Amino acid sequence: MVKQSNSLHLPESVPTKLQSTDRRPSSIMFAIKDQKKGEEINSIRLHKRRKRFIIKKSPILISMNSSILNLPTLKSEDRNNKWKSLYQIQRERKRIMRETCSKYKSNNRRIITPYHVSRIFVEDKYRVLYCEVPKAGCSNWKRVLMVLNGLASSTKDIQHNTVHYGNYLKRLDGFDHKGIYHRLNTYTKMLFIREPFEKLVSAFRDKFEHPNNYYHPVFGKAIISRYRVNATKEALRTGSGVKFKEFIQYLLDVHRPVGMDIHWDHVNRLCSPCLIDYDFVGKFESMEEDANFFLHLIGAPQNLTFPKFKDRHSNEERTTTKITQQYFAELSPSQRQQSYDFYYMDYLMFNYSKPFEDLY
């Protein structure tokens, strides 16, 4: 059992409401399956082989919200109204997230597996862990991480395919237990989220309203085959032309004809915020302000700001609240309610208002 270090702290002038009420030292332990009593391993070779397997594959046992790191301390010259206001917003977001976790998650000790950290990207130079949430600025955040890491001089120089398929950024699940443990306890952990319905419509427009040689044949064909009455042979062959209502039928079906996808999965599942105590929670709706505040806090170069450009389909209008409402107007009240229920924990945990008045 190893005590976590407390290398970063909040300024004394900022209230410490968000700090955990559990005063006991947090800890992380490697969880190794218990061997049967009396069993002995006599072979050194077998022992070494087992040890390698355990280090790479076995889960980590971690206290829920166990990190005792917080946001880097504001410098005295930064304590103006703007920075203090953004700082307090962060504390409030973390408070709501923690309270939601405490209320709805029954166990205080849970297992972290490689799956739980598989969406987390690592930037070692500035000691940042970023949990990727698709359709919430993730492409541009990866560009920023690449610049921080010295892989590019400007975010404008990095193409979309380089960002997503170049494998230039390391993922946290690629490290052994020691590497994961060290980074979870000493790096600044952050994620950016987006209003769930808006994020969902953005994903639908991107993947199903434009040519796509993966989502149409893999998801589109299965969706049309299951939910469209009298589908044409062409639609069944290509999987193109999925309607939003059909997409929602797929999403809400407990016996989906094809599995989930990260672009419309819950943030609660993608980033496990009740297992990993994120130090910074940004929102797509206030992206520029939140992102540049985060870059300031970690000491990023002053000439590095968060990119404003739209990564894909740049001539198309971004998915807004108005556009989102237009898509959901195609659904029945029951489907809207079920969709809200589907993303209920994300709405609650990240303090988003109900998108329609008739929802309960």
Side-chain angles (χ1 to χ4, degrees), residues 64-111:
M64 185 176 72
N65 283 326
S66 69
S67 173
I68 51 177
L69 296 181
N70 288 286
L71 289 174
T73 304
L74 285 175
K75 299 175 183 177
S76 57
E77 61 269 24
D78 290 338
R79 295 182 185 178
N80 54 45
N81 290 334
K82 177 185 177 182
W83 294 131
K84 285 179 68 175
S85 173
L86 292 173
Y87 210 104
Q88 293 294 346
I89 287 171
Q90 283 301 312
R91 296 189 69 86
E92 180 64 10
R93 287 175 185 171
K94 288 195 65 178
R95 181 189 66 79
I96 293 171
M97 191 167 67
R98 283 184 172 180
E99 287 184 355
T100 304
C101 288
S102 296
K103 183 175 181 180
Y104 291 94
K105 302 296 180 180
S106 58
N107 297 327
N108 285 332
R109 300 184 70 79
R110 294 173 181 270
I111 300 270

Side-chain angles (χ1 to χ4, degrees), residues 5-28:
S5 60
N6 190 13
S7 57
L8 298 177
H9 61 279
L10 289 165
E12 294 180 2
S13 59
V14 180
T16 56
K17 253 189 198 174
L18 275 180
Q19 293 175 355
S20 174
T21 55
D22 188 353
R23 299 293 184 183
R24 295 172 296 176
S26 302
S27 62
I28 295 181

Side-chain angles (χ1 to χ4, degrees), residues 223-224 227-228 241-250:
I223 290 172
I224 291 172
Y227 306 107
R228 184 176 298 181
V242 171
K243 299 174 182 177
F244 186 66
K245 191 169 186 176
E246 295 168 338
F247 174 66
I248 294 298
Q249 285 178 281
Y250 143 78

